[in-house]
Amino acid sequence: KPFDSFLLQMLPDYYSKNLEDSEKLTIFSCGHVVNAKTQLLPICLSHGPTNQLLDYRFANRENPKIISETYSIINNLSRLIPRGLVIFFPSYKLLEKYVKSWTCPEKISNKKVLIEPKNNSECEKLLQEYELLCQSQNGAILLSVMGGKLAEGINFNDDLGRGVIVIGHPYPDINSPVLQEKLKFLKMEKSDSNNYASILCWRNINQSIGRAIRHVNDYACIVLLDSRYDKRNCAGNLPNWIGDCVEYENSFGKILGRIRKFFKGFEATNV
């Protein structure tokens, strides 16, 4: 999901006719090998520890209150999520902005912090270090970018990704020449191009959160930070196996309790 991206590209002449409700098209979505209700804890969080609304829209992303609240969330969750925690930002610029604002960016709650490099040649070395740290008791935090080098093709299975946090929505730059040409083409083909930026955004989100659950015995907690992650937006855009069991919460205290209970259950079975 979202299926719109396939309909838009494969069936452009019919895209605007809402084929999802048409008898001419049947959409079949497979489930996952894991039992999502017991091995996955997906949470959409709209408020932070001080009840600050989590609004990561472009005009508000660098708000000091939002930055402070986000750090507090990461600090609290990293204490409960064992081993590896992968955090995805909408852009490199925002990642750098947040890290610069942190008092001690090298470590959070005894977990060493590693940052996705801009140079491809440095990725393998970083991943090797991250894997070694995840084998230790404290684990590690890996800061990445949605749509970046570590968001696709890398498996954060088992202890490499017991937790995934997604910050905001990675909407593409509407002024990008490539995107502008794509939108022009869609309009020329008389296809509905208004939703294309949203399709690209959700594709990046789903690629990122799909890094954690990689085999039948895997388990992980996924936390989506943004008040825009509500039932209306998530229902048609998240994969069914995630969307069917996602929890929507504005109480940070309740979230801590749910995550603590989730991992406690696996600790008991692994003893």
Side-chain angles (χ1 to χ4, degrees):
K1 278 192 172 181
F3 295 129
D4 286 0
S5 61
F6 294 102
L7 299 179
L8 187 61
Q9 294 177 57
M10 298 177 68
L11 303 167
D13 293 339
Y14 299 97
Y15 177 73
S16 60
K17 297 178 182 179
N18 196 10
L19 279 182
E20 209 164 336
D21 298 327
S22 171
E23 295 179 357
K24 295 181 180 179
L25 179 69
T26 299
I27 296 178
F28 177 76
S29 178
C30 296
H32 204 283
V33 293
V34 301
N35 184 339
K37 292 185 178 179
T38 58
Q39 293 172 249
L40 180 70
L41 179 60
I43 297 169
C44 293
L45 184 62
S46 60
H47 291 73
T50 67
N51 206 34
Q52 169 72 48
L53 180 70
L54 300 177
D55 182 357
Y56 293 100
R57 284 176 294 184
F58 186 80
N60 203 40
R61 282 179 179 177
E62 297 186 10
N63 184 327
K65 291 183 179 179
I66 298 293
I67 294 176
S68 176
E69 198 81 346
T70 305
Y71 177 82
S72 182
I73 291 170
I74 295 172
N75 187 34
N76 279 277
L77 296 188
S78 63
R79 298 175 191 274
L80 301 177
I81 297 173
R83 308 296 179 168
L85 172 59
V86 185
I87 302 174
F88 287 102
F89 286 79
S91 67
Y92 286 104
K93 181 181 177 181
L94 195 70
L95 188 159
E96 292 171 353
K97 175 73 176 180
Y98 274 53
V99 170
K100 286 180 180 178
S101 72
W102 293 348
T103 305
C104 182
E106 297 83 11
K107 188 172 285 190
I108 299 177
S109 299
N110 292 324
K111 289 182 184 290
K112 185 174 180 179
V113 176
L114 302 179
I115 301 173
E116 176 180 324
K118 291 185 178 181
N119 192 334
N120 285 326
S121 62
E122 298 175 12
C123 281
E124 185 175 349
K125 182 180 179 181
L126 176 108
L127 288 171
Q128 289 175 351
E129 181 182 1
Y130 178 67
E131 185 172 357
L132 286 174
L133 288 169
C134 288
Q135 294 172 11
S136 66
Q137 186 64 36
N138 291 333
I141 295 174
L142 180 59
L143 305 182
S144 308
V145 176
M146 286 179 272
K149 304 172 188 65
L150 305 181
E152 297 184 28
I154 306 294
N155 293 336
F156 295 112
N157 55 286
D158 299 317
D159 287 342
L160 297 183
R162 288 305 178 206
V164 173
I165 298 176
V166 173
I167 298 174
H169 286 228
Y171 279 100
D173 180 6
I174 196 67
N175 295 316
S176 163
V178 175
L179 181 56
Q180 285 292 324
E181 288 302 313
K182 180 68 175 180
L183 295 176
K184 286 180 184 177
F185 171 77
L186 293 173
K187 289 178 180 177
M188 185 175 63
E189 293 292 309
K190 297 181 180 179
S191 297
D192 184 0
S193 59
N194 294 331
N195 200 34
Y196 188 67
S198 179
I199 290 171
L200 295 178
C201 171
W202 280 99
R203 182 184 294 168
N204 282 333
I205 292 170
N206 291 334
Q207 284 283 356
S208 298
I209 62 180
R211 299 301 92 206
I213 302 291
R214 308 307 295 174
H215 60 81
V216 68
N217 295 316
D218 216 351
Y219 60 93
C221 170
I222 296 170
V223 182
L224 305 177
L225 302 182
D226 201 311
S227 58
R228 291 172 293 176
Y229 286 118
D230 55 24
K231 291 182 181 180
R232 181 179 60 85
N233 284 324
C234 292
N237 292 306
L238 286 176
N240 290 351
W241 63 279
I242 296 177
D244 289 346
C245 58
V246 69
E247 299 182 15
Y248 301 91
E249 189 56 71
N250 57 15
S251 170
F252 189 69
K254 289 183 180 179
I255 289 301
L256 295 180
R258 286 289 293 115
I259 295 176
R260 186 180 290 109
K261 183 178 179 181
F262 177 76
F263 285 110
K264 210 164 196 180
F266 285 102
E267 287 174 8
T269 58
N270 291 333
V271 172

